[in-house]
């Protein structure tokens, strides 16, 4: 089949884009569309044109590979195809099945009308790739739906469900299948001689817009998207649509598109797009390994994590039994789950009926035998090896022989947990991040005996839950927490040498993290952090700074106590001279002369040890590839996506800088802080982290 199929349905020409897997608008598609439009335009027997997509989807946008090559695209470009469409003298209707995203939706927006299937989704997600819609998307969307809706949807890259798109005026009718609806619509338009509706001429919604709207939205973005280029440029384009002549406004979009396309942020975000897809590929797990079906699930432990995991499963339509032995704790856990669904409804992220349907899938149980029917049981009890071993022993006895037993541990040894069962091949780590029903990351951990089928099942389950899974090997802290240890430890060493909590957090937040390391500690609870630290054994040549312990001893447990590294008024943190005095006291005791530490040094000393440990993790095969680490840090630890993740960021800046920092730190910190051999090999050979040198 050609990239665009042309056929006649009576008097209507149907143009079908056929470019698997997602009908991206690569050159053959654009050429095919151009030719088909010419042909339909020139055939007097054709009275109207319908554009649609093959394989249950309209089009997922420009070909990301083509856009990110940075080369000038070959003609015809999408804008030329659109110009041809808008110049058509016959009704042109888009039939949207599946998704119409990015350039795909921009193409549909250049049709006179759009008919969508009820389950279809439309949107302009370019911002997620550090881009903005460069084929009139910001302009036509704003003209049809108004600037408020455009600002919200395009700066966030939302996929908009068809019913909402109808309300917004982005589509004109819903029909199933969309093609039948579009054909009927086109026939009516012909019969009624309906005037053609060229969207770039539609003007009602862009007139008389209060300029304060844009100023206010920019202020809102300052809080949400600080440091990012594309969201702010999108606001400029939408403002231009409302304030400038058509030609100038379209030109503005074009210039901004090029600026974004050529930015390092675009490059970093495209890296993450492909990294996310690459993370699903597990070497050695061929198509002959199939995932087990998961019809029913169970979760052990109705605390914060257990409740969140149960919600994540229920939200994907999987019935789940939530086990808690004490009736009181079970009731409390279910209460929290219920409240969390209420909050989702109040926020508008779920409808009442969706929330009720999900809640209806969660059944509280208080005895182990009630878990017998589950295909997978996920344990989320207290983080203690003996406790978990006891739970797994019991699970092994009650769960069906086919069932997978997963643990939500964030640091413990999967093999030691598996040893308490008769089915180590079915034991696996599924490390969720809190809140588990919200956070997209899932760190799946393969033990020594975990079977390929078990791995395939938890990877497939992640996709079903709408999560991004990364497969990690079994070691202390797996990928994420193992690296984090160095970051957290160094933050305290910086305090000992002269930094203050607010300086450290300001530098890290300025880099783009949502929160700095000490603010995060206060949020999670310093007692919790200290407890985890006590459970870890340090090599003899390393030490912990005593600062954390002193804070805990002084009742500075964090936000929940109103004081930690900071003083809190509500959730607002306020620098506290008492903490600085405590830190200065520690410096004196250790004989460290405090000095003023430049911001740049803070950044490197926090992030380079993270990257260095990441390189060891790649080298040991704990992570399958460096880009998996980027996925973990961006989705689980607040690393700014537009910087591409720690490994990508470090490589862009030069891996030799990481080596230099580690050479400076290692003599004082211990052998594990020496430069990772992989980094030294890569720098010596002038190669990159994706070279396979690990
Ligand atoms: N250009 C090139 N390739 C694309 C693509 C695009 N716009 N969109 C998706 N693909 C590729 C993916 O890389 C993947 O390839 P792989 O199988 O070799 O890994 C394949 O299509 C399937 O995509 P995937 O994301 O794995 O499938 P999905 O069903 O989970 O999601 C989409 C489908 C369309 C929702 C999702 O791919 C998406 O959001 N795409 C990007 C849309 C976008 O940003 N468009 C604007 C581009 S400027």
């Amino acid at each position: 089949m050609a990239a665009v199929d042309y056929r006649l349905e009576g008097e209507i020409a149907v143009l079908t884009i056929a470019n698997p897997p997602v009908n991206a608008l690569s050159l053959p598609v654009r050429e095919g569309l151009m030719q088909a439009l010419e042909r339909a335009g020139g055939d007097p027997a054709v009275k109207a044109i319908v554009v649609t997509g093959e394989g249950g989807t309209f089009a997922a946008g420009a070909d990301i590979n083509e856009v990110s090559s940075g080369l000038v695209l070959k003609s015809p470009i999408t804008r030329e195809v659109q110009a041809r469409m808008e110049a058509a003298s016959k009704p042109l209707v888009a039939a949207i099945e599946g998704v119409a995203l990015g350039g795909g939706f921009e193409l549909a927006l250049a049709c006179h009308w759009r008919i969508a299937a009820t389950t279809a989704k439309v949107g302009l997600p370019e911002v997620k790739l550090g881009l903005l819609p460069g084929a009139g998307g910001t302009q036509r969307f704003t003209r049809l739906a108004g600037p408020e809706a455009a600002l919200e949807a395009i700066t966030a890259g939302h996929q908009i469900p068809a019913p909402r798109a109808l309300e917004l005026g982005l589509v004109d009718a819903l029909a199933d299948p969309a093609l039948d609806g579009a054909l009927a619509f086109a026939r009516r338009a012909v019969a009624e001689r309906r005037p053609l509706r060229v969207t770039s001429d539609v003007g009602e919604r862009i007139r008389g817009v209060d300029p304060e709207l844009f100023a206010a939205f920019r202020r809102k973005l300052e809080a949400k998207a600080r440091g990012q280029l594309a969201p702010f440029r999108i606001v400029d384009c939408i403002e231009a649509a409302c304030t400038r002549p058509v030609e100038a406004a379209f030109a503005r979009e074009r210039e901004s598109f090029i600026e974004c396309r050529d930015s390092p942020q675009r490059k970093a975000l495209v890296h993450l797009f492909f990294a996310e897809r690459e993370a699903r590929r597990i070497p050695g797990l061929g198509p002959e390994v199939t995932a087990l079906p998961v019809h029913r699930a169970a979760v052990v432990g109705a605390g914060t994590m257990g409740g969140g995991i149960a919600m994540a499963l229920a939200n994907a339509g999987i019935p789940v039994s939530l086990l808690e032995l004490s009736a009181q704790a079970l009731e409390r856990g279910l209460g929290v789950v219920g409240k969390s669904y209420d909050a989702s409804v109040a926020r508008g992220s779920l409808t009442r009926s969706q929330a009720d349907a999900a809640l209806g899938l969660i059944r509280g149980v208080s005895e182990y035998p009630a878990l017998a029917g589950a295909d997978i049981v996920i344990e989320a009890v207290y983080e203690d090896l003996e406790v978990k071993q006891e739970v797994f022993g019991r699970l092994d006895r009650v769960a069906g022989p086919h069932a997978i037993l997963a643990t939500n541990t964030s640091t413990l040894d999967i093999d030691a947990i598996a040893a308490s069962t008769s089915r180590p091949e079915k034991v696996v780590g599924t490390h969720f991040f809190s809140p588990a029903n919200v956070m997209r990351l899932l760190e799946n951990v393969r033990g020594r005996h975990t079977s390929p089928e078990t791995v395939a099942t938890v990877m497939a389950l992640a996709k079903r839950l709408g999560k991004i899974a990364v497969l990690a090997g079994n070691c202390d802290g797996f990928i994420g927490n193992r690296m984090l240890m160095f970051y957290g430890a160094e933050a305290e060493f910086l305090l000992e040498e002269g930094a203050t909590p607010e300086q450290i957090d300001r530098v890290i937040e300025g880099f783009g993290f949502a929160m700095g390391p000490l603010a995060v500690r206060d949020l999670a609870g310093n007692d919790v952090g200290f407890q985890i630290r006590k459970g870890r054994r340090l090599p003899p040549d390393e030490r912990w700074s005593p600062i954390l312990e002193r804070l805990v001893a002084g009742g500075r447990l964090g936000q929940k106590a109103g004081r930690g590294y900071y003083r809190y008024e509500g959730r607002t943190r306020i620098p506290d001279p008492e903490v600085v005095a405590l830190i200065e006291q520690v410096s004196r005791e250790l004989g460290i002369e405090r000095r003023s530490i430049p911001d740049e040094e803070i950044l490197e000393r926090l992030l380079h040890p993270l990257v260095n440990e990441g390189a060891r993790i790649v080298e040991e095969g704990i992570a399958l590839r460096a880009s998996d680490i980027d996925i973990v840090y961006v989705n689980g630890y607040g690393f700014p996506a537009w910087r591409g993740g720690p490994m990508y960021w470090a490589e862009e800046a030069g891996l030799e800088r990481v080596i230099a920092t580690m050479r400076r730190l290692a003599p004082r910190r211990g052998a594990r802080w020496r430069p990772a051999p992989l980094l030294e090999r890569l720098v010596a050979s002038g190669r990159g982290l994706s070279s396979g040198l690990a």
Side-chain angles (χ1 to χ4, degrees), residues 114-128:
R114 286 147 296 282
I115 312 299
T118 44
T119 55
K121 288 187 174 152
V122 302
L124 299 171
E126 285 86 345
V127 71
K128 295 187 177 165

Side-chain angles (χ1 to χ4, degrees), residues 21-22 24 57 60-65 67 99 101-103 125-126 128-129 131 159 273-274 277-278 280-281 463:
V22 294
T57 199
D63 183 330
I64 297 174
N65 292 301
V67 175
V99 296
L101 297 175
E126 285 86 345
K128 295 187 177 165
L129 298 171
L131 284 167
Q159 288 192 16
F273 178 85
F274 288 115
R277 277 139 193 92
E278 188 67 21
R280 295 184 205 142
R281 292 187 241 277
K463 180 130 206 248

Side-chain angles (χ1 to χ4, degrees), residues 498-569:
T500 59
E502 65 269 29
Q503 186 191 8
I504 292 181
D505 286 338
R506 175 180 50 73
V507 168
I508 287 297
E509 287 161 18
F511 179 79
F513 275 84
M515 274 175 116
L518 303 170
V520 168
R521 283 235 184 111
D522 272 354
L523 185 67
N526 290 322
D527 48 339
V528 178
F530 184 57
Q531 191 61 32
I532 293 173
R533 176 178 290 190
K534 275 203 300 196
R536 291 194 139 152
R537 247 168 293 137
L538 273 191
D541 60 348
E542 289 185 31
R543 70 172 179 99
W544 295 117
S545 161
I547 294 173
L548 180 63
E549 187 171 359
R550 299 262 176 109
L551 290 174
V552 174
R556 295 189 159 273
L557 306 186
Q559 264 194 40
K560 61 185 170 189
R563 38 196 233 127
Y565 285 93
Y566 299 89
R567 196 161 64 71
Y568 288 88
E569 277 175 19

Side-chain angles (χ1 to χ4, degrees), residues 21 70 107 109 124 174-175 199 207 247 253 260 272 310 334 342 453 492 495 587 594 601 622:
L107 195 74
L109 284 172
L124 299 171
L174 304 184
T199 49
R207 279 193 275 272
E247 304 262 306
E253 184 196 77
C260 290
L272 286 176
L334 288 172
D342 290 345
E453 191 186 55
E492 281 175 75
L495 292 177
S587 307
R594 295 177 67 78
E601 181 181 337
I622 294 292

Side-chain angles (χ1 to χ4, degrees), residues 193-208:
R193 295 175 192 278
R194 201 179 281 200
L196 304 182
R197 191 168 187 248
V198 174
T199 49
S200 50
D201 291 341
V202 174
E204 307 89 67
R205 293 207 155 156
I206 56 166
R207 279 193 275 272

Side-chain angles (χ1 to χ4, degrees), residues 30-42:
R30 302 192 304 265
E31 283 172 343
L33 281 170
M34 211 60 164
Q35 283 159 11
L37 288 166
E38 298 283 339
R39 185 169 162 192

